């Protein structure tokens, strides 16, 4: 994977940023866009878990849900999380439901840092309008119920970023700053 010029210009002490960064949050919260930018900024591989599932099965997410059901999809999600936690370094975007499972959360928490991209519901609905590639996006009402039922899981991420107001590039810098602060606090408390 190519390294962005930025990642080389400004030295980011490798030790201050955990090797594996997991982006969690609801559909449409920007996990893939921000994950890709963050990976480029850090000069690390980017992994989108849904893309991995599609590559592995040769089926779109919608087709997987239709042919095998959500439970089978969730099982694949857990299996693939079990693989990516062993990557030497990566930025990993998870599907919106992946952090709901306690088994998944435990694997992720033991492997690296999790970041919740917390995005306002109105923005999410706007972004998802007119898209038809997410089987659980059946109506705004259903989306709201689903989001509400997941908030307590997302809140278990190590960091929460307000993803509603800033542009992706700014959010990436905010994430890097928060990760550095966290590492400084940790090393000064030992
Ligand atoms: C899902 C979110 C989707 C995808 C699948 C299920 C969910 O990923 O994993 O459609 O349960 O919220 P994104 O969050 O990347 O849209």
């Amino acid at each position: 994977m190519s390294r962005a010029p930025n990642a080389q210009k400004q030295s980011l002490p490798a030790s201050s940023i955990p090797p594996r960064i997991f982006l969690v949050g609801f559909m449409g919260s920007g996990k893939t866009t921000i994950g890709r930018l963050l990976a480029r900024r850090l000069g690390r591989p980017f992994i989108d878990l849904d893309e991995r599932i599609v590559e592995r099965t040769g089926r779109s997410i919608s087709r997987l849900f239709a042919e095998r059901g959500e439970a089978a999809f969730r099982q694949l999600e857990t299996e693939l999380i079990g693989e990516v936690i062993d990557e030497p370094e990566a930025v990993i975007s998870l599907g919106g439901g992946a952090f709901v499972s306690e088994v998944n959360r435990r694997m992720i928490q033991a492997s690296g840092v999790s970041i919740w991209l917390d995005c306002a519901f109105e923005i999410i609905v706007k972004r998802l309008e007119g898209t038809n590639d997410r089987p659980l996006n059946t109506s705004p009402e259903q989306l709201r119920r689903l989001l509400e039922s997941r908030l307590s899981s997302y809140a278990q991420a190590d960091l929460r970023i307000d993803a509603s107001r800033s542009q992706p590039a700014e959010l990436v810098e905010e994430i890097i700053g928060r990760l550095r602060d966290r590492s400084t606090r940790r090393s000064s408390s030992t």
Side-chain angles (χ1 to χ4, degrees), residues 25-29 31-32 48-50 53 61-62 65 70 73-74 77 93-98 100 128 133-137 143 146 150 154:
F26 205 61
M27 302 171 233
S29 57
K31 300 179 298 281
T32 303
D48 182 283
L49 205 78
D50 281 342
I53 293 176
I61 304 285
S62 302
F65 266 69
E70 181 174 351
F73 170 80
R74 298 295 171 203
E77 207 167 40
S93 288
L94 300 172
V100 174
L128 299 184
D133 52 350
R134 292 174 175 91
L136 297 181
N137 173 21
L143 279 180
L146 195 57
R150 288 176 173 178
Y154 296 150

Coordinates of all heavy atoms in Angstrom, one line a residue, residues 25-29 31-32 48-50 53 61-62 65 70 73-74 77 93-98 100 128 133-137 143 146 150 154, ligand 1:
G25 N -19.1 2.7 14.9 CA -20.2 3.7 14.8 C -21.3 3.2 13.8 O -21.1 2.2 13.1
F26 N -22.3 4.0 13.8 CA -23.5 3.6 13.0 C -23.2 3.8 11.5 O -22.3 4.4 11.1 CB -24.7 4.5 13.4 CG -26.0 3.9 13.1 CD1 -26.4 2.7 13.8 CD2 -26.9 4.5 12.3 CE1 -27.6 2.2 13.5 CE2 -28.2 3.9 12.0 CZ -28.5 2.8 12.6
M27 N -24.1 3.1 10.7 CA -24.0 3.3 9.3 C -24.0 4.8 9.0 O -24.7 5.5 9.6 CB -25.3 2.7 8.6 CG -25.6 1.3 8.9 SD -27.2 0.9 8.2 CE -28.0 0.1 9.6
G28 N -23.2 5.2 8.0 CA -23.3 6.5 7.5 C -22.6 7.5 8.4 O -22.6 8.7 8.2
S29 N -21.8 7.0 9.4 CA -21.1 8.0 10.3 C -19.7 8.3 9.8 O -19.1 9.2 10.4 CB -21.0 7.4 11.7 OG -20.4 6.2 11.7
K31 N -17.2 6.1 8.8 CA -16.1 5.2 9.2 C -15.1 4.9 8.0 O -13.9 4.9 8.2 CB -16.6 3.8 9.7 CG -17.5 4.0 11.0 CD -18.0 2.7 11.5 CE -18.9 1.9 10.5 NZ -20.3 2.4 10.4
T32 N -15.7 4.6 6.9 CA -14.8 4.2 5.7 C -14.0 5.4 5.2 O -12.8 5.3 5.0 CB -15.7 3.6 4.6 OG1 -16.4 2.5 5.1 CG2 -14.9 3.1 3.4
D48 N -11.4 -2.4 5.4 CA -12.8 -2.2 5.6 C -13.4 -3.6 5.8 O -13.4 -4.5 4.9 CB -13.4 -1.5 4.4 CG -14.9 -1.2 4.6 OD1 -15.7 -2.2 4.4 OD2 -15.2 -0.1 4.9
L49 N -14.0 -3.9 7.0 CA -14.4 -5.2 7.3 C -15.5 -5.7 6.3 O -15.5 -6.9 5.9 CB -14.9 -5.4 8.7 CG -14.7 -6.8 9.2 CD1 -13.3 -7.1 9.6 CD2 -15.6 -7.0 10.4
D50 N -16.4 -4.8 6.0 CA -17.5 -5.2 5.0 C -16.9 -5.6 3.7 O -17.3 -6.6 3.1 CB -18.5 -4.1 4.8 CG -19.5 -4.0 6.0 OD1 -19.6 -5.0 6.7 OD2 -20.1 -2.9 6.1
I53 N -15.6 -9.0 3.9 CA -16.7 -10.0 3.8 C -17.1 -10.3 2.4 O -17.3 -11.4 2.0 CB -17.8 -9.6 4.8 CG1 -17.4 -9.6 6.2 CG2 -19.1 -10.5 4.6 CD1 -18.4 -9.1 7.2
I61 N -23.2 -7.4 0.5 CA -23.8 -7.6 1.9 C -25.3 -7.8 1.8 O -25.9 -8.7 2.5 CB -23.5 -6.3 2.7 CG1 -22.1 -5.9 2.8 CG2 -24.2 -6.4 4.1 CD1 -21.2 -6.8 3.7
S62 N -26.0 -7.1 0.8 CA -27.4 -7.3 0.7 C -27.7 -8.8 0.3 O -28.7 -9.4 0.8 CB -28.0 -6.4 -0.4 OG -27.7 -5.1 -0.1
F65 N -27.2 -11.1 3.3 CA -28.4 -11.0 4.2 C -29.6 -11.8 3.6 O -30.2 -12.6 4.3 CB -28.8 -9.6 4.4 CG -28.2 -8.9 5.7 CD1 -26.8 -8.7 5.7 CD2 -29.0 -8.6 6.8 CE1 -26.3 -8.0 6.8 CE2 -28.4 -7.9 7.9 CZ -27.0 -7.7 7.9
E70 N -29.1 -12.6 8.6 CA -28.2 -11.8 9.4 C -27.3 -12.6 10.3 O -26.2 -12.2 10.5 CB -29.1 -10.7 10.2 CG -28.2 -9.8 11.0 CD -28.9 -8.7 11.7 OE1 -30.1 -8.5 11.4 OE2 -28.2 -8.0 12.5
F73 N -24.3 -13.6 8.6 CA -23.4 -12.4 8.3 C -22.7 -12.0 9.6 O -21.5 -11.8 9.6 CB -24.3 -11.2 7.9 CG -23.5 -9.9 7.9 CD1 -22.7 -9.6 6.8 CD2 -23.7 -9.0 8.9 CE1 -22.0 -8.4 6.8 CE2 -23.0 -7.8 8.9 CZ -22.1 -7.5 7.8
R74 N -23.4 -12.1 10.8 CA -22.7 -11.7 12.0 C -21.6 -12.7 12.4 O -20.6 -12.4 12.9 CB -23.7 -11.7 13.2 CG -24.8 -10.6 13.0 CD -24.3 -9.2 13.0 NE -25.3 -8.2 12.7 CZ -25.0 -7.0 12.2 NH1 -23.8 -6.6 12.0 NH2 -26.0 -6.2 11.9
E77 N -18.7 -11.8 10.3 CA -18.1 -10.6 10.9 C -17.1 -11.0 12.1 O -16.0 -10.5 12.1 CB -19.2 -9.7 11.4 CG -19.0 -8.3 11.4 CD -20.3 -7.5 11.6 OE1 -21.2 -7.9 12.4 OE2 -20.5 -6.4 11.0
S93 N -12.1 -0.3 9.6 CA -13.4 0.2 9.7 C -14.4 -1.0 9.9 O -14.3 -1.9 9.1 CB -13.9 0.9 8.5 OG -13.2 2.1 8.4
L94 N -15.2 -0.9 10.9 CA -16.1 -2.0 11.2 C -17.5 -1.7 10.7 O -17.8 -0.5 10.6 CB -16.2 -2.3 12.7 CG -14.9 -2.7 13.4 CD1 -15.1 -2.8 14.9 CD2 -14.4 -4.1 12.9
G95 N -18.3 -2.7 10.3 CA -19.7 -2.4 10.0 C -20.4 -1.9 11.3 O -20.0 -2.2 12.4
G96 N -21.5 -1.2 11.0 CA -22.2 -0.6 12.1 C -22.7 -1.5 13.2 O -23.0 -1.0 14.4
G97 N -22.8 -2.8 13.0 CA -23.3 -3.7 14.0 C -22.2 -4.5 14.7 O -22.5 -5.2 15.7
A98 N -21.0 -4.3 14.2 CA -19.9 -5.2 14.7 C -19.6 -5.0 16.2 O -19.2 -6.0 16.9 CB -18.7 -5.0 13.8
V100 N -21.5 -4.3 18.5 CA -22.7 -4.6 19.4 C -22.4 -6.0 20.1 O -22.8 -6.2 21.3 CB -24.0 -4.7 18.6 CG1 -25.1 -5.2 19.4 CG2 -24.3 -3.3 18.0
L128 N -27.7 8.5 4.1 CA -28.2 7.2 3.7 C -29.4 7.3 2.7 O -29.7 6.3 2.0 CB -28.6 6.3 4.9 CG -27.5 6.0 5.9 CD1 -28.0 5.0 6.9 CD2 -26.3 5.4 5.2
D133 N -27.8 -0.2 -0.4 CA -26.9 -1.3 -0.2 C -26.8 -1.8 1.3 O -25.9 -2.5 1.6 CB -25.5 -0.9 -0.7 CG -25.0 0.4 -0.2 OD1 -25.8 1.1 0.5 OD2 -23.8 0.8 -0.4
R134 N -27.7 -1.2 2.1 CA -27.6 -1.7 3.6 C -29.0 -2.3 3.9 O -30.0 -1.6 4.1 CB -27.3 -0.5 4.4 CG -25.9 0.1 4.2 CD -25.8 1.3 5.1 NE -24.4 1.9 5.0 CZ -24.0 2.8 4.2 NH1 -24.8 3.2 3.2 NH2 -22.8 3.3 4.2
P135 N -29.0 -3.6 4.1 CA -30.2 -4.3 4.3 C -31.0 -3.8 5.6 O -32.2 -4.0 5.6 CB -29.8 -5.8 4.5 CG -28.4 -5.8 4.4 CD -27.8 -4.5 4.0
L136 N -30.3 -3.3 6.6 CA -31.0 -2.9 7.8 C -31.5 -1.4 7.7 O -32.2 -1.0 8.6 CB -30.1 -3.0 9.0 CG -29.7 -4.4 9.3 CD1 -28.8 -4.5 10.6 CD2 -30.9 -5.4 9.5
N137 N -31.3 -0.8 6.6 CA -31.8 0.6 6.4 C -33.1 0.5 5.6 O -33.2 0.7 4.4 CB -30.8 1.4 5.6 CG -31.3 2.7 5.2 OD1 -32.2 3.3 5.8 ND2 -30.7 3.3 4.1
L143 N -34.2 3.0 11.5 CA -32.8 3.4 11.7 C -32.7 4.0 13.1 O -31.7 3.7 13.8 CB -32.3 4.4 10.7 CG -31.9 3.9 9.3 CD1 -31.5 5.1 8.5 CD2 -30.7 2.9 9.5
L146 N -32.7 1.4 15.8 CA -31.5 0.6 15.7 C -30.4 1.4 16.4 O -29.6 0.9 17.2 CB -31.2 0.2 14.3 CG -30.2 -0.9 14.0 CD1 -30.6 -2.2 14.7 CD2 -30.0 -1.1 12.5
R150 N -28.2 0.7 20.0 CA -26.7 0.4 19.9 C -25.9 1.4 20.7 O -24.7 1.2 20.8 CB -26.3 0.4 18.5 CG -26.8 -0.8 17.7 CD -26.4 -0.7 16.3 NE -26.7 -1.9 15.6 CZ -26.5 -2.1 14.3 NH1 -26.0 -1.1 13.6 NH2 -26.8 -3.2 13.7
Y154 N -21.7 1.3 21.5 CA -20.7 2.3 21.0 C -20.0 3.0 22.1 O -18.8 3.3 22.0 CB -21.4 3.3 20.0 CG -22.1 2.7 18.8 CD1 -23.2 3.3 18.2 CD2 -21.5 1.6 18.2 CE1 -23.7 2.8 17.1 CE2 -22.1 1.1 17.0 CZ -23.2 1.7 16.5 OH -23.8 1.2 15.3
Ligands
LIG1 C1 -24.7 -2.9 9.3 C2 -23.9 -1.9 8.8 C3 -23.2 -2.0 7.5 C4 -23.0 -3.5 7.1 C5 -24.3 -4.2 7.2 C6 -24.9 -4.2 8.6 C7 -25.3 -2.7 10.6 O1 -21.9 -1.4 7.5 O2 -22.1 -4.1 8.0 O3 -25.2 -3.7 6.3 O4 -25.7 -3.7 11.2 O5 -25.4 -1.5 11.1 P1 -21.7 0.2 7.6 O6 -21.8 0.7 9.0 O7 -20.3 0.4 7.1 O8 -22.7 0.8 6.7

